[in-house]
């Protein structure tokens, strides 16, 4: 009996021990996890990345637009559009998805921020003459330096911004420190406005900004000029008849980069508005006079630009109304006037009024600097091209749903004496120019835009822009066959040209 009792008690004790062990191994009910925790430190839309103290905001927009008599970032200034014939697109379409990722982390040195902005785009391409009675389709290539955003099957991806901000430093690709706060858009959607700098698609840079209090700040920046801030170094000895009529007075002969663009900025940002003064030094560096190193090269020559920008807010005309305006002067730094999305080459055709002329043409080119020569023995040094310009816009809000903007811009491009002599010698020799020869030209632009926002973050707009190319040539030229735009060999009258374009856009921000 005692033996049986010991067995039963031992079994109960064993079961109890096993049960205790199993109870200890059972999972404890986890505390509820807040997977999306709002971060209110940096404004609406931020939330904490789970398990970290970093806040993140996702955003972007989807845009659908149709451009009439233009591309989506410029007017009918050259190529098939400038030809104004059966190769020209009467309209083109574009669809774009933009995505942004903004992260911020509070540290003992201040906020560490990263920002990324990319576009997924498809745009209408165009047709060019093949010189055989046929045409060749060309996918739209978007902005200079960006991958194609067109094509029959695909489209393209472009990166606008990718930068880090820390302790006053900005490192990576973003809007140039030189630019006005509204970049290319004092009141417009149209991308091709002249009269000031504008790196809408970003430029690689290393920038330090110091805050002095009361809305006053200063910035020093070194930025990469490649692709977006170079207008070209032109060897005028390489000119051809077709090239000049196509908007190039010679052979573009940029060399590799030697120095970044060096920028200084002083900015006042207060309740009444913004004032900004910017200055930049820009290095012009050519390759060789000829095809090999033995031909020699011209020495580098620095260019520069200065710009003033003014924004006036709290206008008596209505809540949210604003005036934006700026003026710029450049010497060997043309892209700080004819910004990165504006045209620097023009080849526009129209009707003629001179007897015997087939049509009229306006052609022009705006590089940073020019030179001539095929070797060091006969070559010249670089001569900078100078420009000045201004642009501005006024936006009036009729009510919370409707607003209208009016805007204008102007740019004047001037060659030096050596450049004028060389270009005019080529014009007479290659184009049989009869009349006045002067490669200087002006660009005038004006436009009006109306926007309707029926619900928050959904906007429909219509933007009309007029552009005039005021050239200083007069008389006639004799052109060879221009196969890519189907223009015949004939006499053409030299004449100012106008372009009108209309941009219809629907955009949903999020």
């Amino acid at each position: 009996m005692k033996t049986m009792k010991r067995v039963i008690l031992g079994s109960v004790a064993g079961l109890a021990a096993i049960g205790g062990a199993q109870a200890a191994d059972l999972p404890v009910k986890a505390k509820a996890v807040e997977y999306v925790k709002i971060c209110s430190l940096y404004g609406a839309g931020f939330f904490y990345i789970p398990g970290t103290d970093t806040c993140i905001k996702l955003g972007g927009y989807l845009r659908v637009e149709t451009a009439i008599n233009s591309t989506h970032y410029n007017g009918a200034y050259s190529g098939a559009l400038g030809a104004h014939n059966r190769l020209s697109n009467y309209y083109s379409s574009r669809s774009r998805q933009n995505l942004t990722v903004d992260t911020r982390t509070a540290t003992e040195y201040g906020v560490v921020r990263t920002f990324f902005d990319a576009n997924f785009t498809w745009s209408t391409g165009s047709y060019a003459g093949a010189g055989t009675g046929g045409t060749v389709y060309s996918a739209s290539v978007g902005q200079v330096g960006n991958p194609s955003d067109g094509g029959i099957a695909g489209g393209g991806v472009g990166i606008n911004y990718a930068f880090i901000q820390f302790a006053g430093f900005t490192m990576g690709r973003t809007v140039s420190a030189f630019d006005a706060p509204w970049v290319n858009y004092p009141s417009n959607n149209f991308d091709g406005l002249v009269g000031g700098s504008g790196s809408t698609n970003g430029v690689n840079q290393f920038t330090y900004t110091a805050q002095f209090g009361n809305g006053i700040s200063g910035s020093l920046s070194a930025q990469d000029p490649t692709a977006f801030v170079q207008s070209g170094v032109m060897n005028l000895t390489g000119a051809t008849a077709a090239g000049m009529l196509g908007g190039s007075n010679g052979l573009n002969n940029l060399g590799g980069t030697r120095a970044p663009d060096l920028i200084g900025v002083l900015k006042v940002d207060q309740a009444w508005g913004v004032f900004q003064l910017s200055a930049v030094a820009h290095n012009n560096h050519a390759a060789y006079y000829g095809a090999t190193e033995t031909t020699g090269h011209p020495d580098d020559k620095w260019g520069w630009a200065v710009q003033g920008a003014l924004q006036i807010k709290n206008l008596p005309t209505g809540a949210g109304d604003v005036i934006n305006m700026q003026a710029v002067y450049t010497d060997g730094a043309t892209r700080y006037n004819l910004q990165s999305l504006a045209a620097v080459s023009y080849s526009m055709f129209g009707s003629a009024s001179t007897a015997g002329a087939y049509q009229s043409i306006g052609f022009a080119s705006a590089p940073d600097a020019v030179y001539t020569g095929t070797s060091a023995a006969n070559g010249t040094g670089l001569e900078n091209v100078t420009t000045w310009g201004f642009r501005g816009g006024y936006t009036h809000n009729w009510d919370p749903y409707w607003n209208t903007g009016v805007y204008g811009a102007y740019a004047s491009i001037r060659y030096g004496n050596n450049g004028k002599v060389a270009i005019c010698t080529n014009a007479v020799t290659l184009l049989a120019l009869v009349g006045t020869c002067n490669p200087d030209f002006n660009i005038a632009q004006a436009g009006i835009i109306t926007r309707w926002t029926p619900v928050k973050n959904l906007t429909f707009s219509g933007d009309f822009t007029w552009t005039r190319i005021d050239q200083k040539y007069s008389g006639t030229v004799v052109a060879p066959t221009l196969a890519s735009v189907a223009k015949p060999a004939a006499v053409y009258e030299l004449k100012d040209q106008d372009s009108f374009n209309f941009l219809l856009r629907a955009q949903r921000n999020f």
Side-chain angles (χ1 to χ4, degrees):
M1 187 64 181
K2 288 182 179 181
T3 301
M4 181 63 68
K5 185 176 181 180
R6 290 191 186 119
V7 171
I8 293 172
L9 289 175
S11 299
V12 171
L15 290 172
I18 293 172
Q22 289 176 334
D25 292 340
L26 288 175
V28 178
K29 185 177 181 182
K31 185 178 179 181
V33 176
E34 188 176 5
Y35 289 102
V36 178
K37 183 180 178 182
I38 301 301
C39 174
S40 59
L41 296 174
Y42 311 110
F46 283 90
F47 59 91
Y48 286 98
I49 299 175
T52 75
D53 58 357
T54 296
C55 299
I56 187 169
K57 180 179 181 179
L58 305 177
Y61 62 79
L62 196 148
R63 176 187 297 169
V64 179
E65 60 188 12
T66 296
I68 299 172
N69 193 39
S70 72
T71 67
H72 298 275
Y73 55 93
N74 231 312
Y77 304 146
S78 62
L81 277 170
H84 294 120
N85 60 16
R86 294 184 67 84
L87 296 179
S88 305
N89 284 341
Y90 282 5
Y91 70 91
S92 57
S93 60
R94 181 166 72 175
S95 299
R96 166 173 288 176
Q97 173 66 69
N98 171 268
L99 293 174
T100 63
V101 182
D102 190 348
T103 72
R104 307 190 194 191
T105 307
T107 75
E108 59 186 303
Y109 298 99
V111 175
V112 177
R113 183 191 185 196
T114 68
F115 189 83
F116 175 78
D117 181 309
N119 295 325
F120 301 83
T121 306
W122 190 93
S123 293
T124 301
S126 60
Y127 287 90
T132 58
T135 61
V136 178
Y137 180 79
S138 175
S140 173
V141 294
Q143 292 81 26
V144 176
N146 274 1
S148 171
D149 65 1
I152 293 176
V157 178
I159 296 176
N160 293 331
Y161 311 133
F163 63 85
I164 299 170
Q165 287 181 324
F166 173 68
F169 291 95
T170 298
M171 300 158 280
R173 180 169 173 169
T174 185
V175 172
S176 171
F178 189 93
D179 293 354
W182 49 90
V183 198
N184 295 333
Y185 310 102
S187 186
N188 50 296
N189 283 347
F190 175 66
D191 283 327
L193 218 56
V194 300
S197 72
S199 53
T200 301
N201 294 311
V203 57
N204 284 335
Q205 62 189 267
F206 188 89
T207 300
Y208 177 73
T209 300
Q211 301 293 338
F212 303 123
N214 199 29
I216 301 173
S217 64
S219 298
L220 294 175
S221 180
Q223 72 177 27
D224 184 357
T226 307
F228 291 104
V229 201
Q230 292 175 323
S231 183
V233 173
M234 199 74 67
N235 186 345
L236 302 177
T237 303
T240 64
M244 291 186 71
L245 295 176
S248 178
N249 287 324
L251 183 66
N252 192 21
N253 198 26
L254 279 167
T257 55
R258 289 297 181 271
D261 283 10
L262 303 174
I263 298 171
V265 179
L266 179 64
K267 184 177 181 181
V268 180
D269 187 350
Q270 298 175 343
W272 58 267
V274 177
F275 172 75
Q276 181 173 306
L277 183 63
S278 307
V280 61
H282 172 79
N283 180 253
N284 291 309
H285 175 79
Y288 300 99
Y289 286 111
T292 67
E293 298 171 349
T294 58
T295 60
H297 59 82
D299 292 335
D300 290 10
K301 187 168 185 178
W302 282 85
W304 55 274
V306 291
Q307 177 176 267
L310 178 66
Q311 180 181 76
I312 302 174
K313 299 184 288 188
N314 301 320
L315 298 174
T317 53
D321 289 8
V322 64
I323 294 175
N324 296 318
M325 49 190 173
Q326 64 198 98
V328 66
Y329 182 88
T330 76
D331 184 315
T334 301
R335 276 297 187 192
Y336 289 94
N337 185 351
L338 279 61
Q339 45 86 9
S340 62
L341 299 185
V344 293
S345 297
Y346 298 85
S347 178
M348 303 165 65
F349 292 83
S351 60
S353 56
T354 298
Y358 172 69
Q359 288 180 345
S360 66
I361 185 174
F363 62 93
S365 175
D368 289 320
V370 297
Y371 69 101
T372 61
T374 57
S375 70
N378 60 25
T380 67
L382 297 183
E383 182 179 65
N384 287 346
V385 173
T386 61
T387 80
W388 60 269
F390 60 86
R391 66 182 176 216
Y394 164 65
T395 300
H396 172 64
N397 292 277
W398 302 101
D399 57 37
Y401 310 102
W402 291 89
N403 70 52
T404 296
V406 291
Y407 58 91
Y410 192 87
S412 182
I413 292 83
R414 297 291 181 263
Y415 285 83
N417 290 333
N418 293 338
K420 286 182 178 179
V421 169
I423 292 171
C424 288
T425 298
N426 289 336
V428 172
T429 303
L430 300 174
L431 302 176
L433 184 149
V434 176
T436 302
C437 181
N438 186 347
D440 297 345
F441 67 104
N442 304 319
I443 307 165
Q445 296 173 308
I448 184 170
I449 181 172
T450 293
R451 303 178 181 90
W452 175 45
T453 306
V455 297
K456 185 178 180 180
N457 294 327
L458 176 64
T459 300
F460 301 91
S461 60
D463 190 358
F464 174 81
T465 310
W466 162 78
T467 300
R468 162 160 282 205
I469 305 303
D470 172 23
Q471 62 173 10
K472 302 306 177 184
Y473 292 110
S474 66
T476 61
V477 292
V478 179
T481 299
L482 304 175
S484 65
V485 289
K487 295 295 181 179
V491 174
Y492 289 82
E493 178 186 0
L494 295 168
K495 189 177 179 181
D496 297 345
Q497 302 292 331
D498 295 292
S499 176
F500 303 90
N501 61 275
F502 190 46
L503 182 63
L504 293 169
R505 174 180 294 175
Q507 181 166 313
R508 163 64 165 162
N509 297 332
F510 59 90

